[in-house]
Amino acid sequence: MAFSLDTNCGLLNHNIIGPIYCTSTIFPPDILITQFWFNYRHVANTLSVYRSVKRLGIPDSHIVLMLADDMACNYRNPKPATVFSHKNMEFNVYGDDVEVDYRGYEVTVENFLTPRSKRLLSDDRSNILIYLTGQTGNSHGGNGFLKFQDSEEISNMELADAFEQMWQKRRYNELLFIIDTCQGASMYERFYSPNLMALASSQVGEDSLSHQPDLAIGVHLMDKYTFYLLEFLEEVHPASQANMNDLVSVCAHRVSVSPGHHTDLFQRNPGSVLITDFFGSVRKVEITKDTINLTSSVKSGSGDMQIESLTYVDQLPVAEIIHQKPKQKDWHPPDGFILGLWTLILLVFFQTYGIKHLKHIF
Amino acid sequence: NINDDTLILLFILLDGTKNGETFAPAKDQFQEELVIRPLHSGDIYASFQFRTLWDTDFLQEGQKKVSHYRLFPKSLGQVLSKFSVQELHISFTQGFWRTMQWGQPFIPSPPGAELWVWFHDTVSDVDGNWKELTNVLSGIFCASLNFIDMTNTVQPSASFKPLGLGNATDHRFLRYATLPREIVCTENLTPWKKLLPCGSKAGLAVLMKSEKLFHSSFHSQAVHIRPICQDEQCTSKAWELRQTLNVVFDHYTSGQGKKEWSLFKMFSRTLTEACPLASSSKVYVDITDNPELFELSPATPLLSQAVVLGDRRTYSVYDLTRAETFGQLRSFNLLLRWKGDNMLRPLLHAERYVAGFGLQTGEIHTVIYNNHPYRAFPVLLMDSVPWYLQLYIHTLTVTSKSRDNKPSYIHYQPAKDRHRPHLLEMLIQLPPHSMTEVTVQFERALLKWTEYTPDPNHGFYVGSSVVSALVPSMVAMSTNFTQDQPLFSSFVPVKEESSYFVRVYTEPLLVNLPTPDFSMPYNVICLTCTVVAVGYGSFYNLLTRTFQVDEPSPPLAKRLANFIRRIRGVPLLA
């Protein structure tokens, strides 16, 4: 139950002249785990956080986005390829440049905790942001676990253990965990690794509320906590000095439920931690004016190659197909069951009718 | 374009003489085109094709290994060399192509995702390469191709011959798989667009806005990579990467009911320039049925005739590399206005459906129509059925015009539970102007409870059947391969003049399997625990409970009276 990772700070293959460094790299997985059309708001939640994070500078190669159901191209969506977060279809959070890493049936507990492909390549200088949204238990009740796709669940102990394994393997420097579900605070109760900060949209015993329905689409578009979170993040830009205390207080006064936060395990004072430490990233680029000599690729001259006339294959060679010999299957000796069955039959026969019939067989 | 090539040569030669080495540049070129074909029902069919040709060899080792990529995308080049792929065809489709209403597409594709790959004959472990290749492609295209495994991969023995050069046709190196359930959305289009040399910033790709493209009746994007002849004599081969995007806009949903189309209405954009890296950038509009069918503006003097799908069609050509196409406003917008109606009869058409009732047995019917008035032609039907539909091949019947039609070739590979699917390939001769029906009965299997998807009541998909045919052509086709043929007519290599090769996909099937009630374990546990608690509890109590007689406490008045009596020393009340 561990994140399987390499200590490689891989970046994109951009054609920038000069070396590229990764300092304070941020790896945020955004995860949505519920299915069905009426959970449209969970997709909108996740995509709005994804959008903010991309806007503040984190590239797609450092983001793992898991969406358990397809809302944008769902046949029920009156406007395909869009997911709106504000009513009257003002704000399309799906956009034109989205890369979903895990979708549909691939969103499982196993792929979340131990991804076999499309993993994060984080190291001990990386700050990780994890945003989860979905449903705990059935929408009212269910304490301490989170449902995946209506058929699996992950408990708060499993999450805490996974983070501890990550800490033991030095896979993160600081981790921010945000969860927007009912009774979200129950999910971070059991965390025990250092340098973890957790935010939840509701306390234990409280429900997280959804924000606005849209009459054209027919479902609720966003959850209240994420709505105010998004509003807050829209004002953050890459050089912003907003800190964690501002983030923690983002939803405190305006709604009826009280969001919770857990900063005991965090070593630094939350007031001194910048939002952009988790939500944004700045890549250092060094530009050099020296020219680079490209080594030549030696191509063999045409004199070397035999001039054989190449042809295209016939797409439906009817004559050839009709006369195709069936493949000779390898002959396998009869297996134990068949041998045993025939031995039994012969034994019974000879027992019943006597050995004198043997000469009629052979 | 000759000028570009010599320019490149000059550049590198200069550098070369400095270092004292001589080498030849890798020549690559890029062409893009858009074909617009108005359909008779008022819908419109737009087909984008982007072709990158590169004279190189991916399969070489050592020093000659390709390391400098210009127009060809690096991610695909690395995939080709790592897995020794000779041909790769992958398509993502949303919607079903309605042959009866829309005719034949330029490049057909089944609903969902389809991937078929020919590996080079030097590969020793084809299955291992196939597994890794699907995982890598699922990362590149953000699709769930990692669900392709041995339970839905088949090795067709006669269908899917290589479309490129090659003489190795041993079908051990071919793998074919479909995922009919795969959803196609913006996250698949985004990496596809990033493979183009100009991205989505210049050229025809600026028209690809996902909000309009996915609000359509049919949307299909595909990548085809194969080696082809470089010239007429075919002495050397080059790698060709074709990215195609076919989309059909419905005039009711996207057209607001009016049979009037323009580039702006279809794509919410107009063209402003050709891709600077393209050697040719053209827009073709099919005007064969003009002027009775529709009115086209702006008019263009350039016309071109091409033989495509067995028919000679006339096209208006707009060359985007010439500045006068864009006119005064520096923007190019086509306008088509409908005038009349006309019916279309495609020559080959196929359907498939499930018959029967209940959740135990069923029947798959595949119906193939030959609409040619007097010619018969052979078709190769390939069916790949998942293992949980157990086919009874002894019930297979092929009837044409209510008489038995015996196929001249049958290849059947039975399924192995949880290991591989059924594969049935048949070569059937279709009589002229007839309907051929292929039926086979099946039984539904009961899966283990962990094998059900999270939403099992949706049903389980069975991939489309593939019908490959050589359809007689109405017009003689040219077997010469020339470089300046438009891309849409040069996809399938033509071997004989009188017929053309076409592939038709049927509908995928959605079959309900007997689904257990997943809440039953909870119900059973509750019920059993209740019964055990009530039964055992009562029994235990009966055995171990002892009864004692207990005086009820007397009322207050009596207690007071007893208290006084005790003081007085008189016997107490009962």
Side-chain angles (χ1 to χ4, degrees):
Chain A
M1 226 175 36
F3 275 88
S4 42
L5 306 162
D6 306 318
T7 52
N8 182 13
C9 194
L11 260 196
L12 323 162
N13 52 349
H14 280 320
N15 301 325
I16 301 178
I17 305 168
I20 298 173
Y21 296 107
C22 303
T23 55
S24 104
T25 50
I26 292 100
F27 298 87
D30 290 314
I31 295 152
L32 152 77
I33 42 199
T34 52
Q35 275 195 326
F36 309 122
W37 177 246
F38 51 81
N39 289 323
Y40 183 102
R41 61 190 193 280
H42 295 145
V43 176
N45 290 350
T46 319
L47 286 172
S48 38
V49 174
Y50 171 78
R51 226 191 121 268
S52 311
V53 146
K54 266 186 83 160
R55 192 177 54 83
L56 293 171
I58 301 188
D60 269 312
S61 56
H62 287 185
I63 305 180
V64 173
L65 178 62
M66 303 172 107
L67 298 179
D69 204 359
D70 173 53
M71 300 300 166
C73 288
N74 196 315
Y75 294 110
R76 291 185 178 92
N77 193 348
K79 292 200 85 180
T82 57
V83 173
F84 292 105
S85 62
H86 286 54
K87 66 173 192 268
N88 300 327
M89 304 200 197
E90 287 161 9
F91 195 29
N92 175 17
V93 288
Y94 200 57
D96 230 358
D97 186 17
V98 60
E99 288 188 19
V100 182
D101 300 293
Y102 290 90
R103 56 185 199 164
Y105 297 145
E106 292 179 301
V107 178
T108 58
V109 175
E110 198 195 324
N111 278 347
F112 171 48
L113 293 175
T114 50
R116 274 165 298 149
S117 57
K118 301 183 257 199
R119 325 171 201 154
L120 295 180
L121 307 170
S122 65
D123 54 18
D124 61 343
R125 290 169 309 166
S126 319
N127 295 343
I128 301 188
L129 162 71
I130 298 184
Y131 176 82
L132 287 180
T133 180
Q135 279 175 335
T136 55
N138 39 19
S139 10
H140 306 282
N143 186 350
F145 65 92
L146 194 59
K147 276 199 311 185
F148 267 68
Q149 299 251 20
D150 250 7
S151 62
E152 292 184 305
E153 58 206 25
I154 183 174
S155 69
N156 47 9
M157 260 336 284
E158 279 181 351
L159 258 185
D161 288 338
F163 291 149
E164 177 60 20
Q165 293 216 11
M166 280 177 73
W167 174 252
Q168 293 296 335
K169 295 197 182 176
R170 302 277 175 266
R171 293 306 184 205
Y172 72 89
N173 177 28
E174 291 173 343
L175 195 145
L176 174 64
F177 178 76
I178 305 183
I179 182 163
D180 188 353
T181 61
C182 300
Q183 314 196 36
S186 63
M187 289 306 290
Y188 62 64
E189 275 171 346
R190 305 290 191 100
F191 287 175
Y192 54 91
S193 317
N195 282 353
L196 281 183
M197 175 146 52
L199 297 171
S201 63
S202 53
Q203 299 286 359
V204 177
E206 284 179 345
D207 297 328
S208 188
L209 303 179
S210 52
H211 186 68
Q212 306 163 317
D214 180 285
L215 296 174
I217 297 177
V219 286
H220 284 263
L221 293 181
M222 276 261 289
D223 280 333
K224 277 205 165 84
Y225 181 73
T226 312
F227 180 76
Y228 291 114
L229 183 69
L230 178 65
E231 234 181 42
F232 173 76
L233 287 175
E234 284 291 303
E235 286 156 33
V236 173
H237 53 89
S240 162
Q241 295 296 313
N243 58 37
M244 278 301 161
N245 280 337
D246 301 329
L247 185 65
V248 162
S249 62
V250 79
C251 208
H253 308 296
R254 296 204 241 185
V255 293
S256 49
V257 293
S258 40
H261 59 274
H262 183 81
T263 47
D264 304 342
L265 296 167
F266 209 67
Q267 280 164 6
R268 293 195 283 158
N269 177 13
S272 67
V273 178
L274 295 176
I275 299 278
T276 48
D277 273 356
F278 287 102
F279 285 89
S281 99
V282 174
R283 282 178 283 170
K284 282 203 189 134
V285 173
E286 260 189 36
I287 299 180
T288 161
K289 293 218 170 94
D290 306 327
T291 47
I292 298 171
N293 288 328
L294 294 171
T295 50
S296 62
S297 61
V298 179
K299 189 171 177 340
S300 61
S302 50
D304 290 328
M305 282 200 305
Q306 313 149 282
I307 301 180
E308 41 174 274
S309 178
L310 307 154
T311 50
Y312 288 107
V313 179
D314 208 353
Q315 288 300 308
L316 193 67
V318 177
E320 204 185 294
I321 291 174
I322 293 176
H323 295 115
Q324 205 164 329
K325 287 240 176 329
K327 274 190 299 219
Q328 290 294 345
K329 289 219 183 45
D330 301 329
W331 181 78
H332 295 288
D335 63 345
F337 177 73
I338 304 290
L339 280 174
L341 187 69
W342 278 107
T343 318
L344 188 68
I345 291 173
L346 285 171
L347 270 173
V348 168
F349 176 77
F350 287 120
Q351 199 143 18
T352 327
Y353 295 108
I355 209 85
K356 64 180 189 287
H357 288 275
L358 204 56
K359 66 174 188 294
H360 294 289
I361 314 272
F362 293 104
Chain B
N1 196 337
I2 307 254
N3 291 334
D4 282 345
D5 287 350
T6 46
L7 190 62
I8 296 170
L9 201 58
L10 205 57
F11 246 121
I12 299 175
L13 256 183
L14 280 172
D15 283 345
T17 47
K18 251 198 274 186
N19 296 335
E21 290 174 27
T22 51
F23 51 93
K27 293 196 292 275
D28 50 1
Q29 58 158 282
F30 175 65
Q31 295 165 292
E32 54 178 18
E33 84 180 18
L34 165 62
V35 183
I36 297 185
R37 187 163 98 190
L39 301 169
H40 295 266
S41 47
D43 306 332
I44 195 154
Y45 169 35
S47 170
F48 292 84
Q49 284 209 32
F50 301 92
R51 178 167 88 159
T52 307
L53 258 183
W54 196 13
D55 180 15
T56 183
D57 197 352
F58 283 112
L59 302 170
Q60 282 189 327
E61 290 296 324
Q63 250 208 335
K64 298 181 204 161
K65 203 165 177 157
V66 176
S67 55
H68 176 62
Y69 292 86
R70 194 174 145 250
L71 295 177
F72 201 93
K74 182 175 175 184
S75 47
L76 289 181
Q78 289 178 327
V79 161
L80 292 179
S81 50
K82 181 165 182 212
F83 299 111
S84 308
V85 169
Q86 189 173 326
E87 244 184 70
L88 182 117
H89 300 268
I90 183 168
S91 71
F92 297 95
T93 310
Q94 179 207 57
F96 179 65
W97 182 269
R98 305 190 185 285
T99 316
M100 287 305 277
Q101 290 152 22
W102 300 338
Q104 293 281 4
F106 293 123
I107 298 188
S109 51
E114 185 201 39
L115 170 65
W116 56 281
V117 175
W118 273 94
F119 289 94
H120 208 250
D121 47 11
T122 53
V123 172
S124 51
D125 179 17
V126 183
D127 287 328
N129 274 19
W130 170 250
K131 183 92 190 112
E132 284 184 38
L133 177 67
T134 50
N135 277 317
V136 168
L137 287 175
S138 96
I140 293 178
F141 291 106
C142 286
S144 322
L145 296 175
N146 42 341
F147 283 126
I148 294 180
D149 54 10
M150 297 322 291
T151 59
N152 49 19
T153 308
V154 288
Q155 292 181 39
S157 66
S159 318
F160 294 104
K161 296 263 183 236
L163 281 168
L165 289 176
N167 37 16
T169 51
D170 186 353
H171 282 260
R172 282 184 297 133
F173 297 102
L174 169 65
R175 292 289 184 275
Y176 174 86
T178 52
L179 288 174
R181 196 166 183 170
E182 190 66 17
I183 303 159
V184 184
C185 207
T186 313
E187 65 257 20
N188 305 112
L189 186 64
T190 307
W192 188 93
K193 281 196 287 191
K194 287 184 182 164
L195 296 174
L196 296 170
C198 282
S200 53
K201 306 212 169 35
L204 291 171
V206 300
L207 296 177
M208 294 182 190
K209 288 294 156 198
S210 52
E211 283 172 10
K212 284 292 193 173
L213 281 182
F214 289 102
H215 198 50
S216 56
S217 309
F218 179 82
H219 168 96
S220 169
Q221 63 199 54
V223 171
H224 301 276
I225 305 178
R226 57 178 179 162
I228 60 164
C229 291
Q230 258 196 320
D231 49 22
E232 289 233 21
Q233 291 82 30
C234 217
T235 46
S236 64
K237 63 180 188 183
W239 281 89
E240 179 197 71
L241 163 69
R242 270 197 206 222
Q243 289 181 252
T244 64
L245 192 130
N246 293 338
V247 62
V248 175
F249 291 104
D250 188 342
H251 77 281
Y252 288 116
T253 48
S254 324
Q256 287 111 40
K258 283 192 285 213
K259 290 189 184 178
E260 190 184 283
W261 291 104
S262 69
L263 278 185
F264 189 77
K265 195 173 179 193
M266 291 196 275
F267 303 107
S268 69
R269 290 278 184 292
T270 56
L271 291 168
T272 48
E273 56 166 345
C275 173
L277 298 168
S279 60
S280 109
S281 176
K282 295 198 166 97
V283 177
Y284 293 86
V285 182
D286 188 340
I287 56 168
T288 318
D289 300 311
N290 250 5
E292 318 89 44
L293 193 63
F294 62 92
E295 194 183 285
L296 174 65
S297 74
T300 171
L302 284 173
L303 290 177
S304 142
Q305 286 214 331
V307 180
V308 60
L309 297 169
D311 195 11
R312 187 175 297 279
R313 319 273 311 170
T314 316
Y315 293 89
S316 288
V317 184
Y318 298 88
D319 193 347
L320 297 177
T321 49
R322 305 207 330 219
E324 53 265 18
T325 321
F326 296 103
Q328 294 280 2
L329 301 164
R330 296 264 196 283
S331 116
F332 172 65
N333 190 14
L334 272 176
L335 198 59
L336 294 99
R337 212 171 284 120
W338 253 246
K339 286 198 281 190
D341 260 326
N342 208 344
M343 262 326 289
L344 178 75
R345 286 280 282 196
L347 289 176
L348 177 67
H349 171 53
E351 284 177 350
R352 192 163 73 146
Y353 55 89
V354 172
F357 58 91
L359 285 176
Q360 192 179 4
T361 53
E363 238 178 64
I364 297 182
H365 291 244
T366 310
V367 184
I368 312 176
Y369 297 90
N370 176 1
N371 292 324
H372 202 284
Y374 52 86
R375 290 279 299 271
F377 53 87
V379 299
L380 186 63
L381 170 69
M382 185 185 100
D383 245 319
S384 165
V385 179
W387 63 268
Y388 40 81
L389 295 189
Q390 295 153 344
L391 295 181
Y392 290 118
I393 291 295
H394 72 280
T395 57
L396 176 70
T397 57
V398 183
T399 44
S400 301
K401 290 181 170 170
S402 37
R403 271 183 309 170
D404 224 9
N405 182 353
K406 190 162 180 295
S408 19
Y409 170 80
I410 301 185
H411 171 76
Y412 174 61
Q413 191 184 49
K416 216 165 164 185
D417 273 3
R418 298 173 182 88
H419 191 70
R420 57 161 198 253
H422 298 273
L423 174 66
L424 177 62
E425 279 181 283
M426 296 193 288
L427 186 68
I428 309 172
Q429 189 79 4
L430 298 182
H433 205 71
S434 67
M435 176 185 99
T436 305
E437 192 164 340
V438 178
T439 59
V440 62
Q441 286 180 10
F442 66 87
E443 197 177 76
R444 297 167 214 233
L446 190 63
L447 299 179
K448 294 184 186 167
W449 72 289
T450 47
E451 289 170 347
Y452 285 96
T453 53
D455 54 351
N457 289 301
H458 180 86
F460 287 78
Y461 282 89
V462 178
S464 311
S465 299
V466 188
V467 177
S468 316
L470 278 176
V471 182
S473 162
M474 292 191 275
V475 169
M477 323 245 318
S478 132
T479 51
N480 288 334
F481 169 76
T482 47
Q483 277 280 6
D484 46 345
Q485 256 180 339
L487 294 176
F488 61 88
S489 59
S490 60
F491 185 58
V492 181
V494 176
K495 282 288 213 178
E496 46 170 325
E497 294 178 343
S498 55
S499 54
Y500 63 97
F501 178 74
V502 75
R503 214 169 249 147
V504 176
Y505 290 92
T506 63
E507 298 93 329
L509 300 174
L510 190 58
V511 169
N512 264 324
L513 289 183
T515 308
D517 184 352
F518 288 102
S519 62
M520 275 316 283
Y522 172 76
N523 294 343
V524 165
I525 291 170
C526 284
L527 194 65
T528 318
C529 290
T530 310
V531 166
V532 166
V534 169
Y536 176 74
S538 322
F539 196 61
Y540 178 79
N541 280 336
L542 273 174
L543 290 177
T544 56
R545 203 182 285 161
T546 57
F547 290 95
Q548 290 170 333
V549 180
D550 194 23
E551 296 282 334
S553 61
L556 185 61
K558 245 193 192 167
R559 267 192 280 155
L560 210 54
N562 276 341
F563 177 69
I564 295 170
R565 281 189 176 217
R566 223 180 288 136
I567 294 172
R568 282 173 53 196
V570 166
L572 302 171
L573 290 174

